[in-house]
Coordinates of all heavy atoms in Angstrom, one line a residue:
M1 N 128.0 96.4 108.0 CA 128.9 95.5 108.7 C 128.2 94.8 109.8 O 127.4 95.3 110.6 CB 130.0 96.5 109.4 CG 130.9 95.7 110.2 SD 132.5 95.4 109.5 CE 133.2 97.1 109.5
E2 N 128.5 93.5 109.9 CA 127.9 92.7 110.9 C 129.0 92.4 111.9 O 130.2 92.3 111.6 CB 127.4 91.4 110.3 CG 126.4 91.6 109.2 CD 125.3 90.6 109.3 OE1 124.7 90.4 110.4 OE2 124.9 90.0 108.3
E3 N 128.6 92.2 113.2 CA 129.6 91.9 114.2 C 129.0 90.9 115.2 O 127.8 91.0 115.5 CB 130.0 93.2 114.9 CG 131.0 93.0 116.0 CD 131.4 94.3 116.7 OE1 132.3 94.9 116.2 OE2 130.8 94.6 117.7
K4 N 129.9 90.0 115.6 CA 129.5 89.0 116.7 C 130.6 88.8 117.7 O 131.8 88.9 117.3 CB 129.2 87.6 116.0 CG 127.7 87.3 115.9 CD 127.6 85.9 115.4 CE 126.2 85.6 114.9 NZ 125.1 85.5 115.8
H5 N 130.2 88.7 118.9 CA 131.2 88.3 120.0 C 130.8 86.9 120.4 O 129.6 86.6 120.7 CB 131.0 89.2 121.2 CG 131.1 90.6 120.9 ND1 132.4 91.3 120.9 CD2 130.2 91.6 120.6 CE1 132.2 92.6 120.6 NE2 130.9 92.8 120.4
I6 N 131.8 86.0 120.2 CA 131.4 84.6 120.5 C 132.4 84.0 121.5 O 133.6 84.4 121.6 CB 131.5 83.7 119.2 CG1 132.8 83.9 118.5 CG2 130.3 84.1 118.4 CD1 132.9 83.0 117.3
Y7 N 131.9 83.1 122.3 CA 132.7 82.4 123.3 C 133.1 81.0 122.7 O 132.3 80.2 122.3 CB 131.8 82.1 124.6 CG 132.5 81.3 125.6 CD1 133.6 81.9 126.3 CD2 132.1 80.0 125.9 CE1 134.3 81.1 127.3 CE2 132.8 79.3 126.8 CZ 133.8 79.8 127.5 OH 134.5 79.1 128.5
I8 N 134.4 80.8 122.7 CA 135.0 79.6 122.1 C 135.8 78.8 123.2 O 136.9 79.2 123.5 CB 135.9 79.9 120.9 CG1 135.1 80.6 119.9 CG2 136.5 78.6 120.4 CD1 135.9 81.0 118.6
P9 N 135.2 77.8 123.8 CA 135.8 77.1 124.9 C 137.2 76.5 124.7 O 138.0 76.4 125.6 CB 134.8 76.0 125.3 CG 133.6 76.2 124.5 CD 133.8 77.2 123.4
N10 N 137.4 76.1 123.4 CA 138.7 75.5 123.1 C 139.9 76.4 123.0 O 141.0 76.0 122.9 CB 138.6 74.8 121.7 CG 137.9 73.4 121.8 OD1 137.5 73.0 122.9 ND2 137.7 72.8 120.7
I11 N 139.7 77.7 123.1 CA 140.8 78.7 123.1 C 141.6 78.5 124.4 O 141.0 78.6 125.5 CB 140.3 80.1 123.0 CG1 139.7 80.4 121.6 CG2 141.4 81.1 123.3 CD1 139.1 81.7 121.4
S12 N 142.9 78.3 124.3 CA 143.7 78.2 125.5 C 144.9 79.2 125.5 O 145.5 79.4 126.6 CB 144.3 76.8 125.6 OG 145.0 76.4 124.5
C13 N 145.2 79.8 124.4 CA 146.4 80.7 124.4 C 146.3 81.6 123.2 O 145.4 81.5 122.3 CB 147.7 80.0 124.5 SG 148.0 79.1 122.9
G14 N 147.3 82.5 123.1 CA 147.4 83.4 122.0 C 147.5 82.8 120.6 O 147.1 83.3 119.6
H15 N 148.1 81.6 120.6 CA 148.2 80.9 119.3 C 146.9 80.5 118.8 O 146.7 80.5 117.6 CB 149.1 79.6 119.5 CG 150.6 79.9 119.6 ND1 151.3 79.4 120.6 CD2 151.4 80.6 118.8 CE1 152.6 79.9 120.4 NE2 152.6 80.6 119.3
C16 N 146.0 80.1 119.6 CA 144.6 79.8 119.2 C 144.0 81.0 118.5 O 143.4 80.9 117.5 CB 143.8 79.4 120.4 SG 144.4 77.9 121.3
I17 N 144.2 82.2 119.1 CA 143.6 83.4 118.6 C 144.2 83.6 117.2 O 143.5 84.0 116.2 CB 143.9 84.6 119.5 CG1 143.3 84.4 120.9 CG2 143.4 85.9 118.9 CD1 141.8 84.5 121.0
S18 N 145.6 83.4 117.1 CA 146.2 83.7 115.8 C 145.7 82.7 114.7 O 145.5 83.1 113.6 CB 147.7 83.4 116.0 OG 148.3 84.3 116.9
T19 N 145.5 81.5 115.1 CA 145.0 80.5 114.1 C 143.6 80.9 113.7 O 143.3 80.9 112.5 CB 144.9 79.1 114.8 OG1 146.2 78.7 115.2 CG2 144.3 78.1 113.8
I20 N 142.7 81.3 114.6 CA 141.4 81.7 114.3 C 141.4 82.9 113.4 O 140.7 83.0 112.4 CB 140.6 82.0 115.6 CG1 140.3 80.7 116.3 CG2 139.2 82.7 115.3 CD1 139.9 80.8 117.7
K21 N 142.3 83.9 113.7 CA 142.4 85.1 112.9 C 142.8 84.7 111.5 O 142.3 85.2 110.5 CB 143.5 86.0 113.4 CG 143.0 87.0 114.5 CD 144.2 87.9 114.8 CE 143.8 88.8 116.0 NZ 144.9 89.8 116.3
R22 N 143.8 83.9 111.4 CA 144.4 83.5 110.0 C 143.3 82.8 109.2 O 143.1 83.1 108.0 CB 145.6 82.6 110.2 CG 146.4 82.4 108.9 CD 147.6 81.5 109.2 NE 147.2 80.2 109.7 CZ 147.6 79.7 110.8 NH1 148.4 80.3 111.6 NH2 147.2 78.4 111.1
E23 N 142.7 81.8 109.8 CA 141.7 81.0 109.0 C 140.5 81.9 108.6 O 140.0 81.8 107.5 CB 141.3 79.8 109.8 CG 142.4 78.9 110.1 CD 142.9 78.1 108.9 OE1 142.2 77.9 107.9 OE2 144.1 77.8 108.9
L24 N 140.0 82.7 109.6 CA 138.8 83.5 109.2 C 139.1 84.6 108.2 O 138.2 84.9 107.4 CB 138.1 84.1 110.5 CG 137.5 83.1 111.5 CD1 136.8 83.8 112.6 CD2 136.5 82.1 110.8
S25 N 140.3 85.1 108.3 CA 140.7 86.2 107.4 C 140.7 85.7 105.9 O 140.7 86.5 105.0 CB 142.0 86.7 107.7 OG 142.0 87.4 109.0
E26 N 140.8 84.4 105.7 CA 140.8 83.8 104.4 C 139.4 83.9 103.7 O 139.2 83.7 102.5 CB 141.3 82.4 104.4 CG 142.8 82.4 104.5 CD 143.4 81.0 104.6 OE1 142.7 80.0 104.3 OE2 144.6 80.9 104.9
I27 N 138.4 84.1 104.5 CA 137.0 84.2 104.0 C 136.8 85.6 103.4 O 137.0 86.6 104.1 CB 136.0 83.9 105.1 CG1 136.2 82.5 105.7 CG2 134.6 84.1 104.6 CD1 135.3 82.3 107.0
E28 N 136.4 85.7 102.2 CA 136.3 87.0 101.5 C 135.1 87.7 102.2 O 134.0 87.2 102.4 CB 135.9 86.8 100.0 CG 136.0 88.1 99.3 CD 135.6 87.9 97.8 OE1 135.6 86.8 97.3 OE2 135.4 89.0 97.2
G29 N 135.4 88.9 102.7 CA 134.4 89.7 103.3 C 134.6 89.9 104.8 O 134.1 90.8 105.4
V30 N 135.5 89.0 105.4 CA 135.8 89.1 106.8 C 136.7 90.3 107.0 O 137.8 90.4 106.4 CB 136.4 87.8 107.4 CG1 136.9 88.1 108.8 CG2 135.4 86.7 107.4
R31 N 136.3 91.3 107.8 CA 137.0 92.6 108.0 C 138.0 92.6 109.1 O 139.1 93.1 109.0 CB 136.0 93.7 108.1 CG 135.1 93.9 107.0 CD 135.8 94.5 105.8 NE 136.4 95.8 106.1 CZ 135.8 96.9 106.1 NH1 134.5 97.0 105.7 NH2 136.4 98.0 106.4
A32 N 137.6 92.0 110.2 CA 138.4 92.1 111.4 C 138.1 90.9 112.4 O 136.9 90.5 112.5 CB 138.2 93.4 112.2
V33 N 139.1 90.4 112.9 CA 139.0 89.3 113.9 C 139.9 89.6 115.1 O 141.1 89.9 114.9 CB 139.4 87.9 113.3 CG1 139.2 86.8 114.4 CG2 138.7 87.6 112.0
D34 N 139.3 89.7 116.3 CA 140.1 90.0 117.4 C 139.7 89.1 118.6 O 138.5 88.7 118.7 CB 140.0 91.4 117.8 CG 141.3 92.1 118.0 OD1 142.2 91.5 118.6 OD2 141.5 93.2 117.4
G35 N 140.6 88.7 119.4 CA 140.2 87.8 120.5 C 141.0 88.1 121.8 O 142.1 88.6 121.8
D36 N 140.4 87.6 122.9 CA 141.0 87.7 124.2 C 141.1 86.2 124.7 O 140.2 85.6 125.0 CB 140.0 88.5 125.1 CG 140.6 88.5 126.5 OD1 141.5 87.8 126.9 OD2 140.0 89.3 127.3
P37 N 142.4 85.7 124.7 CA 142.6 84.3 125.1 C 142.2 84.0 126.6 O 141.7 82.9 126.9 CB 144.1 84.1 125.0 CG 144.7 85.4 124.7 CD 143.6 86.4 124.3
A38 N 142.3 85.0 127.5 CA 141.9 84.7 128.9 C 140.3 84.6 129.0 O 139.8 83.7 129.6 CB 142.3 85.9 129.8
A39 N 139.6 85.4 128.3 CA 138.1 85.4 128.3 C 137.6 84.4 127.3 O 136.4 84.0 127.4 CB 137.6 86.8 128.0
K40 N 138.4 83.9 126.4 CA 138.0 83.0 125.3 C 136.9 83.6 124.4 O 136.0 82.9 124.0 CB 137.5 81.6 125.9 CG 138.6 80.9 126.7 CD 138.1 79.7 127.4 CE 139.0 79.1 128.4 NZ 139.8 78.0 127.9
I41 N 137.0 84.9 124.3 CA 136.0 85.6 123.5 C 136.6 86.1 122.2 O 137.7 86.7 122.3 CB 135.4 86.8 124.2 CG1 134.7 86.4 125.5 CG2 134.5 87.6 123.3 CD1 133.4 85.8 125.4
V42 N 136.0 85.9 121.1 CA 136.5 86.4 119.8 C 135.4 87.3 119.2 O 134.2 87.0 119.3 CB 136.8 85.2 118.8 CG1 137.0 85.7 117.4 CG2 138.0 84.4 119.3
T43 N 135.9 88.4 118.7 CA 135.0 89.4 118.0 C 135.3 89.3 116.5 O 136.5 89.4 116.1 CB 135.3 90.8 118.5 OG1 135.0 90.8 119.9 CG2 134.4 91.8 117.8
I44 N 134.3 89.2 115.7 CA 134.4 89.0 114.3 C 133.5 90.1 113.6 O 132.4 90.3 114.0 CB 133.9 87.7 113.8 CG1 134.7 86.6 114.6 CG2 134.2 87.5 112.3 CD1 134.0 85.2 114.4
Q45 N 134.1 90.8 112.7 CA 133.3 91.8 111.9 C 133.4 91.3 110.4 O 134.5 91.0 109.9 CB 133.9 93.2 112.0 CG 133.8 93.7 113.4 CD 134.4 95.1 113.5 OE1 135.4 95.4 112.8 NE2 133.9 95.9 114.5
W46 N 132.3 91.4 109.7 CA 132.3 91.0 108.3 C 131.2 91.7 107.5 O 130.3 92.3 108.0 CB 132.1 89.5 108.2 CG 130.7 89.0 108.5 CD1 129.7 88.8 107.6 CD2 130.2 88.7 109.8 NE1 128.6 88.4 108.3 CE2 128.9 88.3 109.6 CE3 130.7 88.6 111.1 CZ2 128.0 87.9 110.7 CZ3 129.9 88.2 112.1 CH2 128.6 87.8 111.9
N47 N 131.5 91.7 106.2 CA 130.5 92.2 105.2 C 130.3 91.1 104.2 O 131.1 90.1 104.1 CB 131.1 93.4 104.4 CG 131.1 94.7 105.3 OD1 130.2 94.9 106.0 ND2 132.2 95.4 105.2
A48 N 129.2 91.2 103.4 CA 129.0 90.2 102.3 C 130.3 90.3 101.4 O 130.9 91.4 101.3 CB 127.8 90.6 101.5
P49 N 130.7 89.2 100.8 CA 129.9 87.9 100.7 C 130.1 87.0 101.9 O 129.6 85.9 101.9 CB 130.5 87.3 99.4 CG 131.9 87.7 99.4 CD 131.9 89.1 99.9
A50 N 130.9 87.4 102.9 CA 131.0 86.5 104.1 C 129.6 86.5 104.8 O 128.8 87.4 104.7 CB 132.0 87.1 105.0
N51 N 129.3 85.4 105.5 CA 128.1 85.3 106.3 C 128.4 84.4 107.5 O 129.4 83.8 107.6 CB 126.9 84.8 105.4 CG 127.2 83.4 104.8 OD1 127.8 82.6 105.5 ND2 126.8 83.3 103.6
W52 N 127.5 84.5 108.4 CA 127.7 83.8 109.7 C 127.9 82.2 109.4 O 128.7 81.6 110.1 CB 126.6 84.0 110.7 CG 126.7 83.3 111.9 CD1 125.8 82.4 112.4 CD2 127.8 83.3 112.8 NE1 126.3 81.9 113.6 CE2 127.5 82.4 113.9 CE3 129.0 84.0 112.8 CZ2 128.4 82.2 114.9 CZ3 129.9 83.8 113.9 CH2 129.6 82.9 114.9
E53 N 127.1 81.7 108.5 CA 127.2 80.3 108.2 C 128.6 79.9 107.7 O 129.2 78.9 108.2 CB 126.2 79.9 107.1 CG 124.7 79.9 107.6 CD 124.2 81.2 107.9 OE1 124.6 82.2 107.3 OE2 123.4 81.3 108.8
S54 N 129.2 80.7 106.9 CA 130.6 80.4 106.4 C 131.6 80.5 107.5 O 132.6 79.7 107.6 CB 130.9 81.2 105.2 OG 130.9 82.6 105.5
I55 N 131.4 81.5 108.3 CA 132.3 81.7 109.5 C 132.2 80.5 110.4 O 133.2 79.9 110.9 CB 132.0 83.0 110.2 CG1 132.4 84.2 109.2 CG2 132.8 83.1 111.5 CD1 131.8 85.5 109.7
L56 N 131.0 80.1 110.7 CA 130.8 79.0 111.7 C 131.3 77.7 111.1 O 131.9 76.9 111.8 CB 129.2 78.9 111.9 CG 128.8 78.0 113.0 CD1 129.4 78.3 114.3 CD2 127.3 78.1 113.1
K57 N 131.2 77.5 109.8 CA 131.7 76.3 109.2 C 133.2 76.2 109.3 O 133.7 75.1 109.7 CB 131.3 76.3 107.7 CG 131.7 75.1 106.9 CD 131.0 75.1 105.5 CE 131.5 73.9 104.6 NZ 132.8 74.3 104.0
T58 N 133.9 77.3 109.1 CA 135.3 77.4 109.2 C 135.7 77.1 110.7 O 136.6 76.3 110.9 CB 135.9 78.7 108.7 OG1 135.6 78.8 107.4 CG2 137.4 78.8 109.0
L59 N 135.0 77.7 111.6 CA 135.4 77.5 113.0 C 135.2 76.0 113.4 O 136.0 75.5 114.1 CB 134.5 78.4 113.9 CG 134.8 79.9 113.9 CD1 133.7 80.7 114.6 CD2 136.2 80.2 114.5
D60 N 134.2 75.4 112.9 CA 133.9 74.0 113.2 C 135.0 73.1 112.6 O 135.6 72.2 113.2 CB 132.6 73.5 112.7 CG 131.4 74.0 113.5 OD1 131.6 74.4 114.7 OD2 130.3 74.1 113.0
E61 N 135.5 73.5 111.4 CA 136.5 72.7 110.7 C 137.8 72.8 111.4 O 138.6 71.8 111.4 CB 136.7 73.2 109.2 CG 135.6 72.7 108.3 CD 135.6 73.4 106.9 OE1 136.5 74.3 106.7 OE2 134.8 73.1 106.1
I62 N 138.2 73.9 112.0 CA 139.5 74.0 112.6 C 139.4 73.7 114.1 O 140.4 73.9 114.8 CB 140.1 75.4 112.4 CG1 139.3 76.6 113.0 CG2 140.3 75.7 110.9 CD1 139.9 78.0 112.9
G63 N 138.3 73.3 114.6 CA 138.2 72.8 116.0 C 138.0 73.9 117.0 O 138.2 73.7 118.2
Y64 N 137.5 75.0 116.6 CA 137.2 76.1 117.5 C 135.7 76.5 117.4 O 135.3 77.6 117.1 CB 138.1 77.3 117.2 CG 139.5 77.1 117.6 CD1 140.5 76.9 116.6 CD2 139.9 77.0 118.9 CE1 141.8 76.7 117.0 CE2 141.2 76.8 119.3 CZ 142.2 76.6 118.3 OH 143.5 76.4 118.6
S65 N 134.8 75.5 117.7 CA 133.4 75.8 117.6 C 133.0 76.7 118.7 O 133.4 76.5 119.9 CB 132.6 74.5 117.7 OG 133.0 73.6 116.7
P66 N 132.1 77.7 118.4 CA 131.6 78.5 119.5 C 130.6 77.7 120.4 O 130.1 76.7 119.9 CB 130.8 79.6 118.8 CG 131.0 79.4 117.4 CD 131.7 78.1 117.1
E67 N 130.5 78.1 121.6 CA 129.6 77.3 122.5 C 128.2 77.4 122.1 O 127.4 76.5 122.2 CB 129.8 77.8 124.0 CG 129.2 76.8 124.9 CD 129.7 77.1 126.4 OE1 129.2 78.0 127.0 OE2 130.6 76.3 126.8
E68 N 127.7 78.6 121.7 CA 126.3 78.8 121.3 C 126.3 79.1 119.8 O 127.1 79.9 119.3 CB 125.7 79.9 122.1 CG 125.4 79.6 123.5 CD 124.8 80.7 124.3 OE1 124.7 81.8 123.7 OE2 124.4 80.6 125.4
K69 N 125.4 78.4 119.1 CA 125.4 78.6 117.7 C 124.1 79.2 117.3 O 123.1 79.2 118.0 CB 125.5 77.2 117.0 CG 126.8 76.6 117.2 CD 127.0 75.3 116.4 CE 128.4 74.7 116.7 NZ 128.5 73.5 116.0
Ligands
CU1 CU1 146.4 78.1 122.0

């Protein structure tokens, strides 16, 4: 299991977290997505076949790019 905590500046409320959860959960292998709207931090856990590149691509597509890549 891989895990990352990422800072996403575009997060402004719980709906943003819900959108990120919904979109990332569609990637096969993503196990858990959790976020804190106040801190703008999202925690993602995944196994293969998901990988960081596919997660990052989805985040970029939906407008929630992490600050550091
Ligand atoms: Cu929001």
